[in-house]
Amino acid sequence: MPKSLLIISRQSPWSGSSAREALDIVLAGGAFDLPIGLLFLDDGVFQLAAKQDARTLQQKDLSANLQALPMFGVEALFVCGDSAAERGLDPNTLSLEEIQVLAAPEITALIDRYHQVITL
């Protein structure tokens, strides 16, 4: 049985390459049927904000990659509700519909369910 992997994405989509690298790892893992999850935490929740215009920041838009996650078999998607609230984001208006909102204490239990964790 393959080991499960949780990717924790903590960077905003415009703060460098970490957000894109996290999505690339998740998409690659999904393509190889690896049991994989993706948690958006801290500024990483900004990746889920609706109606972003990456062109104004001269960045590449990540929304197409986010929407492709279910097509790659990645369905274990999580967002820290506390991080979203602290940044003024309503979890009900995030760009991914099939995402589980977790409270901070639930994140520890989530991390414990995975064999390996990568934080970007």
Side-chain angles (χ1 to χ4, degrees):
M1 175 179 203
K3 294 197 179 230
S4 59
L5 175 64
L6 177 66
I7 302 297
I8 301 175
S9 187
R10 299 181 73 170
Q11 301 298 315
S12 69
W14 53 83
S15 66
S17 62
S18 293
R20 175 160 301 286
E21 290 169 358
L23 282 173
D24 288 345
I25 292 169
V26 172
L27 290 168
F32 289 102
D33 293 326
L34 180 69
I36 195 160
L38 176 58
L39 168 64
F40 296 92
L41 184 66
D42 299 330
D43 284 346
V45 300
F46 284 125
Q47 296 175 49
L48 302 171
K51 300 179 183 174
Q52 294 188 43
D53 187 4
R55 292 175 299 182
T56 59
L57 298 172
Q58 298 179 346
Q59 298 279 332
K60 190 167 182 179
D61 189 3
L62 299 179
S63 63
N65 292 35
L66 289 171
Q67 298 306 319
L69 291 170
M71 291 185 287
F72 281 79
V74 180
E75 297 175 354
L77 302 171
F78 310 94
V79 64
C80 176
D82 297 334
S83 293
E86 288 170 3
R87 287 154 180 83
L89 297 175
D90 179 357
N92 297 317
T93 63
L94 299 177
S95 63
L96 289 176
E97 294 177 14
E98 299 297 321
I99 193 160
Q100 186 176 352
V101 180
L102 302 178
E106 296 172 298
I107 292 173
T108 302
L110 173 71
I111 291 170
D112 289 342
R113 289 189 348 220
Y114 286 86
H115 292 104
Q116 297 175 330
V117 178
I118 298 174
T119 301
L120 295 166

